[in-house]
Amino acid sequence: MKVTEYLANQTERMAAGLAHFMATTDPEKLNWKPEMPGSEGSRSPLQQVSECVQVNLGMAKLFRGEVYNAPPGAPPDLLFADAASAQKALIDSAAELASVIRQLDDAALAKMYSHPRGEILGSNMMIMPLRNMAYHAGQINQIQMLLGDSEFHVPPNWR
């Protein structure tokens, strides 16, 4: 298996896992975020998935040679009304990114790409969306715990 095929597969698996965490979050709490001293930058589960969708689509653009102008640190402007619409957009964005990654040759791993945060090596940039989704899966699980749900909702595709 090629490295790009592996990364594409893992990108789709992580999106499915993150979508599972959205599905297991109380629907009435999808816009909830911690409100305590020092939590001013906290984001709700829907805002976090919004960011992941934007990152996935932005990375797909960069790998296709298109411009991705998301300013670093910008809050997500793509918002969802419910878990189902967020899950669909997340899965679709990961599928689009995975499709682009699968089309890359091994030279893309060593290529430098111009990203809004600076020049990034292709092998590092390919894994950025995967890491981002994994980070936010943990964040959403933490929100579930803060809301009293102590069960770790292991996504079925993680076994």
Side-chain angles (χ1 to χ4, degrees), residues 29-46:
K29 301 298 184 181
L30 291 171
N31 284 306
W32 184 85
K33 50 189 165 185
E35 294 183 18
M36 58 190 82
S39 67
E40 291 78 21
S42 296
R43 291 177 286 157
S44 72
L46 287 173

Side-chain angles (χ1 to χ4, degrees), residues 24 34 109 114 149 157:
T24 58
L109 296 165
S114 181
D149 182 355
N157 71 335

Side-chain angles (χ1 to χ4, degrees), residues 111-121 125:
K111 180 180 174 181
M112 294 301 289
Y113 289 85
S114 181
H115 182 276
R117 295 181 185 230
E119 294 293 307
I120 299 179
L121 186 64
M125 199 166 84

Side-chain angles (χ1 to χ4, degrees), residues 11-142:
T11 296
E12 290 175 317
R13 285 186 72 223
M14 184 54 68
L18 179 53
H20 176 77
F21 282 112
M22 288 295 294
T24 58
T25 299
D26 180 346
E28 294 184 19
K29 301 298 184 181
L30 291 171
N31 284 306
W32 184 85
K33 50 189 165 185
E35 294 183 18
M36 58 190 82
S39 67
E40 291 78 21
S42 296
R43 291 177 286 157
S44 72
L46 287 173
Q47 289 172 314
Q48 292 183 51
V49 169
S50 176
E51 176 195 304
C52 292
V53 169
Q54 290 179 331
V55 167
N56 291 346
L57 295 176
M59 294 299 110
K61 282 183 177 183
L62 289 176
F63 284 123
R64 285 192 300 257
E66 300 170 14
V67 177
Y68 173 44
N69 288 323
D77 59 6
L78 178 66
L79 299 176
F80 302 104
D82 55 36
S85 60
Q87 290 170 287
K88 181 178 179 344
L90 179 64
I91 297 298
D92 291 350
S93 70
E96 180 177 334
L97 175 59
S99 175
V100 171
I101 290 173
R102 284 185 181 101
Q103 295 171 30
L104 297 172
D105 59 22
D106 287 347
L109 296 165
K111 180 180 174 181
M112 294 301 289
Y113 289 85
S114 181
H115 182 276
R117 295 181 185 230
E119 294 293 307
I120 299 179
L121 186 64
S123 58
N124 291 334
M125 199 166 84
M126 281 182 215
I127 203 164
M128 284 173 61
L130 173 64
R131 288 178 178 159
N132 188 52
M133 288 186 288
Y135 169 83
H136 287 294
Q139 291 289 300
I140 292 171
N141 182 249
Q142 177 68 18

